[in-house]
């Protein structure tokens, strides 16, 4: 079997904060499972939102030449995608959301059976709302969602505090183990059975 690849997106403005701590805990498991990993720091970038210009439908890339287009190739090549964000007002970081809106919309390649996992970090509350928000990118794209022993969350405010959340760290490790198993199983299934057949898409507008 070829070496599987995991792309990990750090949506925190802090490159080495608690969100990175969660990703690094997962990264160690992926390395143990002989997977290739890359952590991409997005949360400190100047990324604007989608302007619904449809340029990407004509050219296959976003009209704005920034990290979104640079990430598209990595996204296409990966077998698993981890989205991690701090929680602001029960939502993910707005920079990350702008990045993901444009990344998912502008990339026309088939994302089916790439395994997705979202990770959220907060001082206290708002975790489940942000967790649900990130998972929607996977479920609209035919991507199986990896789970853990609890919702994929970890607590901490100041950098380094997440290291004190023993259950949260364990949740990250279990998540990475489960995600590794899913990616390996899907890779084997692709070789033996191929991908599921798709019906032609039948979009419907509610306003006629």
């Amino acid at each position: 079997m070829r070496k599987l690849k995991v792309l990990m997106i750090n949506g925190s403005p802090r490159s080495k904060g608690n969100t990175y701590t969660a990703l690094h805990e997962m990264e160690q498991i992926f390395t143990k499972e002989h997977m290739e990993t890359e952590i991409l720091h997005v949360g400190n970038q100047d990324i604007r939102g989608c302007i619904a210009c449809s340029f990407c439908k004509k050219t296959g890339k976003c009209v704005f030449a920034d990290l979104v287009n640079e990430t598209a190739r990595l996204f296409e090549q990966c077998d698993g995608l981890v989205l991690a964000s701090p929680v602001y007002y029960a939502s993910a970081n707005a920079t990350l959301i702008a990045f993901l809106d444009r990344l998912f919309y502008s990339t026309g390649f088939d994302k089916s059976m790439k395994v997705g996992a979202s990770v959220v970090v907060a001082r206290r509350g708002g975790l489940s709302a942000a967790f649900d928000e990130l998972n929607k990118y996977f479920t609209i794209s035919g991507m199986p969602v990896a789970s853990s022993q609890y919702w994929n969350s970890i607590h901490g405010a100041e950098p380094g505090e997440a290291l004190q959340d023993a259950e949260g760290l364990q949740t990250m490790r279990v998540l990475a183990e489960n995600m590794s198993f899913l990616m390996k199983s899907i890779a084997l299934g692709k070789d033996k059975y191929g991908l599921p057949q798709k019906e032609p898409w039948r979009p419907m507008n509610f306003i006629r």
Side-chain angles (χ1 to χ4, degrees):
M1 182 188 297
R2 65 178 177 83
K3 197 166 190 178
L4 301 178
K5 298 179 181 180
V6 185
L7 178 61
M8 310 175 80
I9 306 295
N10 182 354
S12 172
R14 296 169 171 170
S15 61
K16 299 292 183 180
N18 293 312
T19 305
Y20 171 80
T21 296
L23 289 175
H24 182 60
E25 196 74 8
M26 295 181 69
E27 185 181 32
Q28 294 178 82
I29 299 299
F30 291 137
T31 299
K32 178 179 72 72
E33 294 292 335
H34 308 291
M35 296 192 175
E36 184 179 321
T37 62
E38 181 170 353
I39 298 179
L40 190 63
H41 190 203
V42 170
N44 66 342
Q45 300 294 308
D46 184 13
I47 297 173
R48 64 175 301 162
C50 178
I51 60 171
C53 67
S54 296
F55 180 84
C56 58
K57 298 305 177 188
K58 302 171 185 175
T59 65
K61 62 181 180 180
C62 185
V63 68
F64 300 117
D66 59 11
L67 188 61
V68 170
N69 287 336
E70 296 171 24
T71 305
R73 177 183 55 84
L74 300 175
F75 185 16
E76 185 172 15
Q77 293 176 350
C78 78
D79 302 282
L81 179 68
V82 180
L83 307 178
S85 179
V87 176
Y88 302 145
Y89 290 92
S91 176
N93 181 1
T95 301
L96 176 63
I97 294 303
F99 172 84
L100 293 174
D101 281 352
R102 288 172 48 216
L103 178 67
F104 273 77
Y105 192 74
S106 66
T107 48
F109 57 81
D110 187 7
K111 302 169 183 67
S112 297
M113 298 303 141
K114 292 180 184 291
V115 178
S118 59
V119 170
V120 287
V121 184
R123 180 192 69 85
R124 188 172 178 86
L127 292 156
S128 60
F131 179 61
D132 291 343
E133 179 183 24
L134 293 177
N135 281 334
K136 288 181 172 63
Y137 290 96
F138 307 137
T139 55
I140 200 174
S141 304
M143 298 172 62
V145 180
S147 60
S148 185
Q149 63 188 13
Y150 194 78
W151 294 301
N152 306 337
S153 58
I154 194 166
H155 289 86
E158 295 304 313
E161 287 184 352
L163 290 169
Q164 301 175 51
D165 184 0
E167 183 179 354
L169 292 171
Q170 186 181 59
T171 299
M172 296 302 111
R173 294 193 298 273
V174 173
L175 174 60
E177 292 282 10
N178 290 349
M179 191 173 177
S180 299
F181 177 80
L182 272 177
M183 285 187 286
K184 290 177 181 177
S185 299
I186 289 171
L188 289 171
K190 280 183 181 179
D191 289 341
K192 186 168 183 179
Y193 302 110
L195 289 173
Q197 288 188 337
K198 287 190 174 184
E199 294 186 16
W201 187 42
R202 298 182 60 186
M204 293 185 65
N205 294 330
F206 293 106
I207 305 300
R208 297 185 180 275

